[in-house]
Amino acid sequence: MPPKVVAIAAGEVHTLALTGDGEVYSWGRGPFGRLGTGREDDELVPTAVAPADGARGGRPRPRFVAVAAGAYHSLALDDEGSLWSWGYNLYGQLGYGDQNSLFPCLIDQFQDLDPPETLDDEAQGAHDWTSLKLSSIKAGGMMSFAIDSLGALWMWGNCPQRTDAREFCIASSSVPLPVWDFHGHTVVKVACGNEHVVAAVSAGETYTGGDLVCYAWGNNNHGQLGLGDKESRSRPVLISAFSEESSWEVYEIACGASHTAVLTNKKSFDQIESRCWTFGLGDKGQLGHGTTATICSPQPVDGLPTGSFLISLDCGLFHTTVVSSDGEVWCWGMERGLGLCPDASFSGVDAGDALYPIRVQSPETNGFKFLGPVQIACGAAHTVLVAGDGYRMWAWGRGRSGVLGRGQTADSYIPCVVMWPPIGENFQEIHEGQAEASTSRVNDRTSTEFEQKLSAASDELQFLRSKLTLMERYANILHISIFRKPLDERTLPRSLQESPVFDIRKEFENILDAADTDELNRLEIFYRSMLSGVKDKLLKRRVQEMVQQCIISLSAGRQTPRDQRVDWQTWICHSGGGVRGMEPSRGAVGGGRRWGDAEAEAEAEGDAAEEGRRPEEGGEVSLREWLDRPGRAVEAAECVHVFRQVAEAVAVAHAQGVAVGSARPSCFVVSPPFARVAFIESASGSDASGSCSGSDASEDADPDASPPRRRDGAARGEERAGKTFPLKSVLEMELNWYTSPEEADDSAGSGSTFASDVYRLGVLLFELFCTFETIEEKMRAMANLRHRVLPPQLLLKWPKEASFCQLLMHPVPETRPKMSEVLQSDFLNQSRNNLEEREAALRLREEIEEQELLLDFLQQLQKRKQNIADNLQDTVAFLSSDINEVLHQQSALGGQCVNFSSDLDKEVCSGTVEDQSDCGSRKRFRPELQGVDMEEQNHSAEECSRTVPSSELIQESVLSKSSRLMQNFKKLETAYFLTRSKLVKQVGNQVSSCHQVSKRATGSAVGTEGSSIDNFPLEKQYGRRQRGWVNSFLEGLCKYLSFSKLKVRAELKQCDLLNSSNLVCSVGFDRDKEFFATAGVNKKIKVFEYDMIVNEHRDIHYPVVEMSNRSKLSCICWNSYMKSHIASSDFEGIVQVWDVTRSQVFVDMREHERRVWSVDFSIVDPTKLVSGSDDGSVKLWDMNQAGSIGTIRTRANVCSVQFQPDTARSIAIGSADHKIYCYDLRNIRAPYCTLVGHTKTVSYVKYLDASTIVSASTDNSLKLWDLSMSPGRIIDSPIQTFTGHTNTKNFVGLSISDGYIATGSETNEVFVYHKEFPMPVLAYKFTVSDPISGQDIDDPTQFISCVCWRGQSSTLLSTNSSGNIKILEMD
């Protein structure tokens, strides 16, 4: 038996295990001597820790009873109450001096100390002095703690202490110091993090069990003390949630770097319930509350099992793990609960931190339960579980330095077995002794060679140990898959315990005798699954033959009474062993002939070829199942046909001198509808006899005949477990029923004869013609059948068949007919013609059914195609309607072309026409544009007249746009039908009722819309199109085709010598669009003048204002009312409002706990401000008030927030949980609408108008949402999804202007979409020039970081990750 592990402890990158015999083993990282092996080497497998002789001071070898591990040091407590330590000692955490120790050393200070309660005793000298005895130890970070036998707490190392000014500080001490605050109470448990401590203390003076309260002190910068605030404490303070008045009592505590976990149970006696509570830093999900927010007060963790008791708890730096009494392990926190594993190979939905508890899958049981759990321990990036009642350890996480204890340094993100038991220490002692001897005899060649061999043997032993562990794991998985329990030395097969030979047959017999139906089903499934993995037909055949030969060879010479003998080949075929195309040996062990040896290879190839074109026969069943089918009707022709096929197979075997021995129903399968019978297996080596009498061998039969062979190659095993006759009962009953009298009386076990095969045919004939309602009736009838007593119903209804059955079952073997006589009997031949007629009728009926099936298929196909044709006809109808509408409008516009030209000349002459240079650049009229140069307003009338459309210009424009239209024809087609269906729904009419179909002279069906061109009102300004369906789509199409490219209007050239990174995270224009600002990781807000950048070409553009921040900036937003005010957010969670004219901050808001990604001013109320942070909160601010005016708590990181454009009472939030939340600020408890559709983090949300939102996500898509389309709280169907850009991990920007949506891409491109169409309208790629050659190169690391439209214009400001800023314009 391996040593039993009774306790486990984990440091940052090392692990300690304590065995029941008092030994300590360590493995993992070795520097500073933390492993206690006397050296600083890493240990990949558990290695024994032994105190040095000089450090024991003449004491006997200590027997350890407890272990503890800090970050880089270790502690061990022996059974005498003495404490040993080793490892890193910079802060005095070893309890002596300041030097590191490579091996365990005794802490002498405790030997010289008296128990704390006697220190104030004036009569101290009146009693005998006794040294202090310790009962419990704990280590964490750079601290060490011990509890003595009287319940007093001691601490040393880098511990929280008080200064002279009674303030909190962290101070070092190499001398153990008592914690006087618990005087008069008993400290039962203690846990510590990096700089905080939590203790479970008795409520009264002594600990009587079940009366623990919780105290905490130390650093509290993240609320890890659970006191409801973030004020650090230098002395222990009671946690109110776990006080004496609480309904919960503490029984386990653990601390991470900056968080705490506590296990409690109900104090009531009528209910046993345990619960886990966490508090402190939650940025990696280590609190398990579904958020990354910091929690200052204890909160229960949801999602843990309620029906079992939580028995063990531990915390890593950033993850937490608990174990339940039923063996389930739950973890949460950094990297799916693995801890500090930044390179963990996760992807998809499993990537990232675990915000909720997740169950760890157990390789031991192929489920979620570990057998015999004892304790869990967490390191910085690894977790170790003691299970198997202490005889097995599992580890997972980061594998560096061998901390997983499996002989290698590879990471494992699933539990793997620790190499346990460890390699014997005696070999290691020999190795160390020889190393010392070799030092004194350097020139001794023999000693050197021996040392080399010894070292090689050690490496070989370690290698073999790793291989043995792998094989043990494989054997355990195999054992579990069959027997549903792990492999254990205590449950090894009896044959292997008694001898080195594993008797498979004996063990299988034992298993079957003791197995229930479920276990037999698992055996069947296992064997079938094993063979299903073999794809090659010939190899499948050889596999089964090998199994049969293995069973025969391992059972050779073993004599078993015939009535107890199990036909394993029959069992194999029941378990799925009857493989397609398989024809194993039909001969006897002694040397019978094989059936079809010469054609076995060819048949296997034929079966393999036929396998690819033959469907699975769903109606094929075992003959046994066919006979025992409830309510089976006996049809004489069918039964005789089945009997004849079985008899022919037996006759062929007899003709070749082979006694079959297994002519039983379980060895045949029946294929309806004509009851084709195929032989799937014989009792090779079990029942057949190789030596037959000469008379039997000389039967009249064709020696070249071959048995009926299954040309379809099908030999599926039965799936009848749990039905009328379970597998075990079949094996027992059939062997008894089909055993002839001479075989039952044969004590020598000589095997089957030809006569016994004939007897079995008689039993089969009886089963074919006699049916029973219950198994009891059948068993009584089969028992009487041995004495040739037939049931009356068989004699009355089937007298001829009963007579032939008695003849075949004659008690005298020599009196039974031979197989040639059976086949030539009148009983088999007279019904052949009737059977042929019946088969012909069945074939005819089957053909009729096939014709009916074909007819039904064709009718269904016709119906579906007709539906498609009707839909196409409707589509053609409304297309004709739309074409007709466009033709009418084109005709009306053409008739007004002359008036348009005349009126336009008049407007030009009067100076009322729009700026033509602006029109020329934009290709359309935009009356809202301002800032037109005065020079460009003085164009001549001749220049303006060229803008009047002529037929040539129109034709040229149509041709240029037509090519772009055809490139995206499919997408435009989809958008056309989508938009049309949406407008039809809005007016509440169906497509079929919207159009009135009329017959023209040509006979074509044409649909007309309700709004005819005849009542089309001509609005002023010559061009207000009709607001019907056609014009709605035409407006979007025109905007889509209005521009052909993005051109560079200007490029901002700047030079920042003080920062190496110029990544711009946010850009924005001021109220009047005269200035724009940039901000990013260079910690600066730079303000540039737009006209100066566009109109003045300079080598370097300098900002007009530059403001510096203490942290990296993530977002900026200009105030829409106060021109000089700009808000910013940074990576430290600070929101600020700057006065650009003074270049200073005048409002500073510091309530967020983590970085703020987004900030936005309200357009309606410029004093209102909103911000969203990684801490899962959205803060509402009023510039006229101190502090936030409201907080919205979400369940995930907030990436974007924006006010609704026409009110200050509504906002939209983009969240890392893939959703968009819309809140009414008058009720911030719950969102009034949730948008669901993205599959990854929502990085931006922007309002297109008051009821329409555009969202961007790292799932490579933008989505358009209509808030008015659903009356409910959840909208899961966007009205448009925009794809074409690439965005999987970065913030790439989002901006909206007049229906145009701009975004960046991680391909260093800018994409522009229009709200009506899902594909990009325009794209522009930032080029990167090689500084040496000057040629453009493609840098895959660069991406677009932000974009911003200049108001409602066609000008777009965009930047990329290298700080390159360009002003683009749609042309």
Side-chain angles (χ1 to χ4, degrees):
M1 292 289 293
K4 182 176 181 179
V5 178
V6 296
I8 195 81
E12 182 177 344
V13 200
H14 76 289
T15 309
L16 303 176
L18 174 66
T19 62
D21 56 4
E23 294 292 333
V24 178
Y25 294 84
S26 63
W27 61 94
R29 191 163 177 79
F32 311 124
R34 73 191 81 181
L35 299 183
T37 59
R39 54 185 183 272
E40 295 187 90
D41 299 334
D42 296 346
E43 296 291 346
L44 306 184
V45 295
T47 305
V49 173
D53 292 338
R56 291 201 293 261
R59 291 171 172 263
R61 183 182 181 91
R63 178 185 176 90
F64 295 113
V65 294
V67 291
Y72 311 123
H73 72 289
S74 305
L75 305 177
L77 180 66
D78 65 22
D79 56 357
E80 295 181 355
S82 300
L83 184 58
W84 303 72
S85 61
W86 61 93
Y88 193 56
N89 196 29
L90 179 63
Y91 300 98
Q93 58 263 48
L94 298 188
Y96 46 80
D98 57 358
Q99 298 297 318
N100 301 339
S101 177
L102 302 181
F103 46 78
C105 293
L106 184 65
I107 301 180
D108 296 327
Q109 283 84 346
F110 284 107
Q111 307 299 313
D112 302 330
L113 292 174
D114 208 19
E117 68 174 10
T118 65
L119 294 180
D120 294 332
D121 190 357
E122 296 179 357
Q124 182 175 354
H127 67 276
D128 296 333
W129 178 88
T130 56
S131 63
L132 189 64
K133 303 296 184 184
L134 303 180
S135 61
S136 179
I137 55 175
K138 189 67 177 180
M142 304 299 173
M143 293 183 278
S144 300
F145 290 84
I147 303 173
D148 63 27
S149 57
L150 298 177
L153 179 63
W154 300 79
M155 65 179 183
W156 61 99
N158 204 35
C159 303
Q161 298 182 16
R162 298 177 67 182
T163 64
D164 295 337
R166 297 183 177 272
E167 296 179 351
F168 164 75
C169 72
I170 299 293
S172 301
S173 173
S174 60
V175 178
L177 303 173
V179 181
W180 294 108
D181 300 81
F182 300 125
H183 185 69
H185 298 272
T186 301
V187 180
V188 179
K189 291 180 179 291
V190 65
C192 52
N194 281 355
E195 295 181 348
H196 76 288
V197 187
V198 179
V201 185
S202 65
E205 183 174 352
T206 59
Y207 174 59
T208 59
D211 60 346
L212 295 181
V213 295
C214 210
Y215 286 83
W217 70 101
N219 194 346
N220 195 31
N221 57 341
H222 297 289
Q224 58 263 46
L225 301 186
L227 304 176
D229 55 38
K230 295 184 179 181
E231 180 182 353
S232 299
R233 305 296 200 280
S234 59
R235 298 181 59 180
V237 179
L238 179 66
I239 302 176
S240 59
F242 308 122
S243 63
E244 195 172 2
E245 292 77 17
S246 173
S247 60
W248 298 90
E249 63 182 18
V250 177
Y251 67 89
E252 189 65 59
I253 53 178
C255 295
S258 298
H259 76 287
T260 306
V262 178
L263 293 184
T264 64
N265 61 281
K266 276 281 190 182
K267 289 184 178 179
S268 59
F269 294 99
D270 57 344
Q271 182 181 10
I272 299 178
E273 179 183 355
S274 62
R275 181 169 292 183
C276 180
W277 307 71
T278 57
F279 44 93
L281 181 64
D283 60 339
K284 304 299 181 184
Q286 58 264 50
L287 301 185
H289 298 152
T291 180
T292 57
T294 293
I295 304 297
C296 298
S297 299
Q299 289 188 10
V301 178
D302 296 329
L304 294 176
T306 57
S308 58
F309 202 76
L310 303 178
I311 62 174
S312 183
L313 163 75
D314 202 13
C315 298
L317 289 180
F318 306 108
H319 71 291
T320 310
T321 307
V322 297
V323 182
S324 65
S325 57
D326 59 2
E328 291 184 341
V329 178
W330 299 77
C331 63
W332 59 91
M334 189 172 185
E335 293 295 345
R336 308 300 296 170
L338 288 173
L340 192 61
C341 289
D343 55 349
S345 57
F346 289 117
S347 60
V349 296
D350 288 333
D353 302 334
L355 305 184
Y356 291 101
I358 58 177
R359 280 192 299 180
V360 178
Q361 189 167 9
S362 169
E364 187 177 20
T365 60
N366 289 333
F368 294 98
K369 292 187 178 181
F370 291 84
L371 302 178
V374 176
Q375 184 187 354
I376 197 77
C378 297
H382 76 288
T383 305
V384 183
L385 170 70
V386 181
D389 296 325
Y391 293 99
R392 172 158 295 190
M393 287 186 287
W394 301 86
W396 59 92
R398 195 74 172 270
R400 54 183 177 177
S401 302
V403 72
L404 300 185
R406 57 177 184 154
Q408 53 183 292
T409 60
D411 298 343
S412 177
Y413 303 122
I414 59 173
C416 61
V417 177
V418 177
M419 280 191 180
W420 190 260
I423 301 174
E425 298 88 344
N426 54 351
F427 181 81
Q428 184 176 355
E429 292 174 359
I430 294 174
H431 178 70
E432 293 174 354
Q434 292 299 331
E436 294 177 0
S438 63
T439 303
S440 61
R441 295 173 297 179
V442 179
N443 298 324
D444 190 357
R445 179 178 301 176
T446 305
S447 176
T448 303
E449 292 178 355
F450 181 76
E451 184 182 8
Q452 293 175 351
K453 292 181 180 178
L454 198 60
S455 177
S458 176
D459 295 339
E460 180 70 15
L461 184 61
Q462 188 167 344
F463 173 76
L464 292 176
R465 178 62 184 160
S466 64
K467 292 299 182 183
L468 182 61
T469 301
L470 181 63
M471 294 304 297
E472 180 186 6
R473 182 181 179 187
Y474 173 75
N476 193 53
I477 293 174
L478 189 64
H479 198 272
I480 290 171
S481 66
I482 302 176
F483 304 111
R484 256 191 200 176
K485 59 183 179 181
L487 181 63
D488 196 336
E489 292 184 7
R490 294 168 290 184
T491 59
L492 283 178
R494 289 195 298 269
S495 63
L496 194 57
Q497 291 178 350
E498 298 168 357
S499 68
V501 179
F502 181 39
D503 192 337
I504 297 179
R505 179 166 184 154
K506 177 180 177 181
E507 294 303 330
F508 274 19
E509 286 182 356
N510 295 335
I511 291 170
L512 286 177
D513 290 340
D516 56 15
T517 303
D518 291 339
E519 290 173 332
L520 290 171
N521 287 341
R522 286 197 301 274
L523 284 170
E524 178 182 350
I525 293 171
F526 170 75
Y527 193 84
R528 186 185 302 118
S529 300
M530 180 184 71
L531 285 177
S532 66
V534 182
K535 302 303 181 183
D536 184 77
K537 302 295 293 184
L538 185 58
L539 181 59
K540 277 189 176 182
R541 177 178 303 175
R542 290 173 179 171
V543 167
Q544 192 182 30
E545 290 181 354
M546 182 175 60
V547 172
Q548 294 167 354
Q549 294 170 5
C550 179
I551 294 174
I552 296 169
S553 62
L554 289 177
S555 304
R558 181 173 180 271
Q559 297 298 330
T560 305
R562 188 61 188 86
D563 58 348
Q564 298 179 11
R565 188 175 301 171
V566 180
D567 190 344
W568 291 104
Q569 285 72 20
T570 303
W571 180 84
I572 289 173
C573 70
H574 277 293
S575 303
V579 186
R580 294 185 178 279
M582 185 176 290
E583 292 292 341
S585 172
R586 268 68 172 179
V589 176
R593 293 181 60 190
R594 291 171 58 90
W595 289 3
D597 278 346
E599 53 184 337
E601 299 287 341
E603 182 182 2
E605 295 177 1
D607 289 339
E610 194 173 0
E611 180 75 19
R613 62 177 180 273
R614 181 185 60 255
E616 186 71 16
E617 296 85 359
E620 185 182 82
V621 295
S622 166
L623 180 56
R624 164 55 56 199
E625 185 176 357
W626 187 81
L627 289 172
D628 296 334
R629 188 172 58 229
R632 179 176 67 89
V634 178
E635 296 183 9
E638 185 179 44
C639 293
V640 172
H641 178 55
V642 170
F643 179 80
R644 180 187 297 109
Q645 294 179 82
V646 175
E648 288 174 351
V650 174
V652 171
H654 287 191
Q656 298 183 5
V658 178
V660 177
S662 58
R664 301 187 295 273
S666 58
C667 298
F668 294 87
V669 291
V670 182
S671 304
F674 305 127
R676 301 294 185 190
V677 177
F679 186 76
I680 58 175
E681 188 54 73
S682 74
S684 175
S686 292
D687 303 302
S689 175
S691 58
C692 303
S693 62
S695 59
D696 288 340
S698 60
E699 286 187 324
D700 294 333
D702 185 5
D704 297 329
S706 60
R709 215 176 266 285
R710 298 178 57 191
R711 297 313 304 172
D712 58 356
R716 294 185 307 141
E718 300 178 47
E719 298 176 358
R720 353 182 280 4
K723 295 184 181 180
T724 308
F725 298 100
L727 176 60
K728 185 177 180 180
S729 301
V730 170
L731 294 175
E732 294 176 353
M733 290 188 296
E734 273 198 350
L735 285 173
N736 187 31
W737 296 342
Y738 283 79
T739 299
S740 63
E742 64 272 16
E743 288 178 317
D745 297 336
D746 184 11
S747 59
S750 58
S752 301
T753 62
F754 292 162
S756 61
D757 286 343
V758 176
Y759 178 88
R760 278 182 276 274
L761 289 177
V763 179
L764 175 62
L765 183 62
F766 172 79
E767 283 202 86
L768 286 167
F769 281 90
C770 195
T771 59
F772 304 91
E773 294 183 358
T774 63
I775 183 62
E776 290 78 10
E777 292 181 10
K778 182 163 187 175
M779 293 183 68
R780 286 195 297 267
M782 298 302 288
N784 295 330
L785 188 64
R786 180 63 60 89
H787 305 289
R788 302 179 70 197
V789 177
L790 303 180
Q793 65 266 26
L794 179 66
L795 295 172
L796 293 175
K797 189 174 183 180
W798 310 103
K800 186 176 180 179
E801 288 75 9
S803 175
F804 194 69
C805 177
Q806 287 187 328
L807 176 64
L808 296 177
M809 298 177 60
H810 199 281
V812 181
E814 292 77 8
T815 308
R816 298 171 196 156
K818 294 181 174 54
M819 287 307 305
S820 58
E821 297 172 355
V822 172
L823 294 177
Q824 296 173 7
S825 64
D826 295 338
F827 172 74
L828 290 181
N829 292 322
Q830 69 179 359
S831 59
R832 187 183 296 272
N833 295 333
N834 296 333
L835 180 64
E836 292 176 354
E837 293 177 0
R838 180 175 177 274
E839 290 185 357
L842 288 174
R843 288 193 184 94
L844 180 61
R845 186 176 67 181
E846 192 176 62
E847 290 178 0
I848 294 174
E849 291 176 352
E850 290 174 353
Q851 293 293 332
E852 291 178 352
L853 182 64
L854 177 61
L855 179 62
D856 183 63
F857 166 73
L858 293 176
Q859 289 176 345
Q860 291 292 334
L861 182 61
Q862 182 187 32
K863 183 178 179 180
R864 294 187 181 186
K865 295 300 182 182
Q866 185 62 46
N867 291 337
I868 295 174
D870 293 341
N871 292 335
L872 286 176
Q873 185 175 2
D874 293 340
T875 302
V876 171
F878 66 67
L879 282 172
S880 300
S881 172
D882 292 345
I883 292 173
N884 185 53
E885 184 71 23
V886 172
L887 290 174
H888 275 277
Q889 292 188 25
Q890 189 179 38
S891 176
L893 292 174
Q896 298 184 26
C897 183
V898 177
N899 295 334
F900 178 84
S901 177
S902 175
D903 291 345
L904 182 63
D905 289 340
K906 295 178 180 179
E907 291 185 3
V908 168
C909 295
S910 60
T912 60
V913 76
E914 289 283 346
D915 172 30
Q916 295 302 312
S917 64
D918 190 44
C919 292
S921 63
R922 297 182 49 120
K923 308 297 183 186
R924 61 180 181 185
F925 292 103
R926 297 284 293 275
E928 66 272 18
L929 290 180
Q930 299 178 3
V932 180
D933 293 339
M934 296 301 296
E935 291 182 3
E936 296 180 353
Q937 293 182 356
N938 297 324
H939 284 291
S940 63
E942 179 183 357
E943 189 173 341
C944 285
S945 64
R946 289 199 297 268
T947 63
V948 177
S950 65
S951 60
E952 292 82 3
L953 292 177
I954 293 176
Q955 186 69 20
E956 181 181 354
S957 176
V958 169
L959 290 175
S960 64
K961 294 179 180 179
S962 177
S963 61
R964 293 186 58 213
L965 186 146
M966 296 307 296
Q967 290 175 0
N968 298 280
F969 189 84
K970 282 291 183 183
K971 294 182 179 179
L972 287 172
E973 177 186 358
T974 303
Y976 166 77
F977 289 112
L978 180 63
T979 309
R980 198 179 208 285
S981 63
K982 286 189 299 184
L983 292 177
V984 168
K985 291 180 181 179
Q986 290 176 1
V987 298
N989 297 324
Q990 298 295 331
V991 173
S992 58
S993 63
C994 283
H995 305 284
Q996 301 171 353
V997 180
S998 61
K999 293 289 184 179
R1000 293 186 177 272
T1002 58
S1004 61
V1006 179
T1008 60
E1009 287 191 340
S1011 58
S1012 170
I1013 191 66
D1014 297 334
N1015 56 19
F1016 174 76
L1018 293 178
E1019 301 179 8
K1020 54 184 176 180
Q1021 294 298 331
Y1022 303 109
R1024 294 291 183 183
R1025 300 188 181 96
Q1026 176 196 13
R1027 297 302 179 186
W1029 142 247
V1030 175
N1031 296 322
S1032 175
F1033 180 76
L1034 178 61
E1035 182 179 358
L1037 183 63
C1038 291
K1039 288 191 175 182
Y1040 175 78
L1041 299 174
S1042 294
F1043 305 100
S1044 60
K1045 65 179 179 179
L1046 281 170
K1047 68 177 182 179
V1048 179
R1049 182 79 180 273
E1051 183 173 356
L1052 191 149
K1053 301 175 182 178
Q1054 56 179 331
C1055 181
D1056 194 337
L1057 301 177
L1058 300 180
N1059 288 280
S1060 59
S1061 178
N1062 289 317
L1063 173 64
V1064 178
C1065 299
S1066 182
V1067 295
F1069 283 92
D1070 71 335
R1071 182 192 64 188
D1072 300 328
K1073 310 302 179 288
E1074 297 176 351
F1075 299 92
F1076 65 88
T1078 66
V1081 298
N1082 60 3
K1083 306 179 183 180
K1084 295 180 180 179
I1085 300 177
K1086 299 181 181 180
V1087 180
F1088 298 90
E1089 185 179 356
Y1090 174 78
D1091 287 339
M1092 183 178 66
I1093 301 298
V1094 172
N1095 300 324
E1096 298 181 12
H1097 300 284
R1098 300 183 180 181
D1099 294 335
I1100 297 178
H1101 295 93
Y1102 292 95
V1104 295
V1105 175
E1106 183 173 294
M1107 299 173 290
S1108 297
N1109 190 48
R1110 58 176 293 180
S1111 177
K1112 298 176 182 178
L1113 294 159
S1114 58
C1115 182
I1116 56 174
C1117 179
W1118 289 87
N1119 193 303
S1120 61
Y1121 182 75
M1122 300 297 294
K1123 181 179 176 67
S1124 62
H1125 289 178
I1126 186 171
S1128 70
S1129 61
D1130 62 25
F1131 281 38
E1132 291 185 357
I1134 302 174
V1135 178
Q1136 298 172 313
V1137 180
W1138 305 73
D1139 188 341
V1140 178
T1141 57
R1142 300 180 181 180
S1143 299
Q1144 64 182 16
V1145 176
F1146 70 92
V1147 178
D1148 198 352
M1149 295 162 275
R1150 297 173 175 262
E1151 293 187 16
H1152 284 292
E1153 298 174 353
R1154 298 181 62 188
R1155 62 185 167 191
V1156 179
W1157 282 119
S1158 180
V1159 63
D1160 186 52
F1161 271 115
S1162 171
I1163 298 177
V1164 177
D1165 185 353
T1167 63
K1168 296 295 189 298
L1169 188 66
V1170 65
S1171 60
S1173 168
D1174 264 348
D1175 60 8
S1177 69
V1178 175
K1179 297 283 185 180
L1180 307 174
W1181 314 91
D1182 191 322
M1183 295 175 60
N1184 298 324
Q1185 297 183 28
S1188 61
I1189 60 176
T1191 300
I1192 299 174
R1193 296 288 181 183
T1194 66
R1195 302 183 62 179
N1197 306 42
V1198 176
C1199 299
S1200 180
V1201 291
Q1202 191 182 33
F1203 275 104
Q1204 190 172 337
D1206 58 352
T1207 178
R1209 295 177 178 176
S1210 180
I1211 63 171
I1213 301 172
S1215 175
D1217 64 358
H1218 315 167
K1219 300 175 183 178
I1220 301 102
Y1221 301 96
C1222 298
Y1223 278 87
D1224 188 329
L1225 299 183
R1226 293 167 293 184
N1227 179 20
I1228 61 176
R1229 289 179 296 178
Y1232 71 83
C1233 186
T1234 302
L1235 312 180
V1236 181
H1238 284 292
T1239 59
K1240 296 181 71 175
T1241 298
V1242 178
S1243 52
Y1244 295 96
V1245 288
K1246 298 288 184 182
Y1247 276 95
L1248 188 66
D1249 52 50
S1251 61
T1252 310
I1253 288 179
V1254 177
S1255 61
S1257 170
T1258 52
D1259 60 3
N1260 296 315
S1261 73
L1262 309 179
K1263 291 185 183 294
L1264 184 66
W1265 309 85
D1266 187 353
L1267 301 181
S1268 62
M1269 67 180 297
S1270 175
R1273 286 181 172 269
I1274 297 179
I1275 300 177
D1276 56 6
S1277 299
I1279 60 177
Q1280 194 73 269
T1281 298
F1282 308 95
T1283 57
H1285 63 287
T1286 301
N1287 183 18
T1288 60
K1289 59 182 178 180
N1290 296 304
F1291 287 83
V1292 295
L1294 179 69
S1295 185
I1296 299 173
S1297 170
D1298 192 27
Y1300 289 95
I1301 305 167
T1303 187
S1305 174
E1306 289 166 5
T1307 57
N1308 211 19
E1309 294 176 278
V1310 177
F1311 285 85
V1312 177
Y1313 297 89
H1314 190 268
K1315 64 178 182 178
E1316 298 292 340
F1317 302 106
M1319 58 285 186
V1321 178
L1322 302 171
Y1324 175 82
K1325 185 175 181 63
F1326 276 50
T1327 58
V1328 181
S1329 299
D1330 189 302
I1332 299 177
S1333 63
Q1335 297 180 350
D1336 292 341
I1337 59 175
D1338 187 13
D1339 186 356
T1341 63
Q1342 293 193 17
F1343 59 92
I1344 302 299
S1345 57
C1346 52
V1347 293
C1348 181
W1349 291 104
R1350 188 188 180 209
Q1352 297 297 314
S1353 70
S1354 61
T1355 302
L1356 178 67
L1357 182 64
S1358 58
T1359 70
N1360 74 346
S1361 55
S1362 65
N1364 192 1
I1365 303 176
K1366 294 187 179 183
I1367 299 176
L1368 306 176
E1369 188 171 6
M1370 294 192 296
D1371 185 24

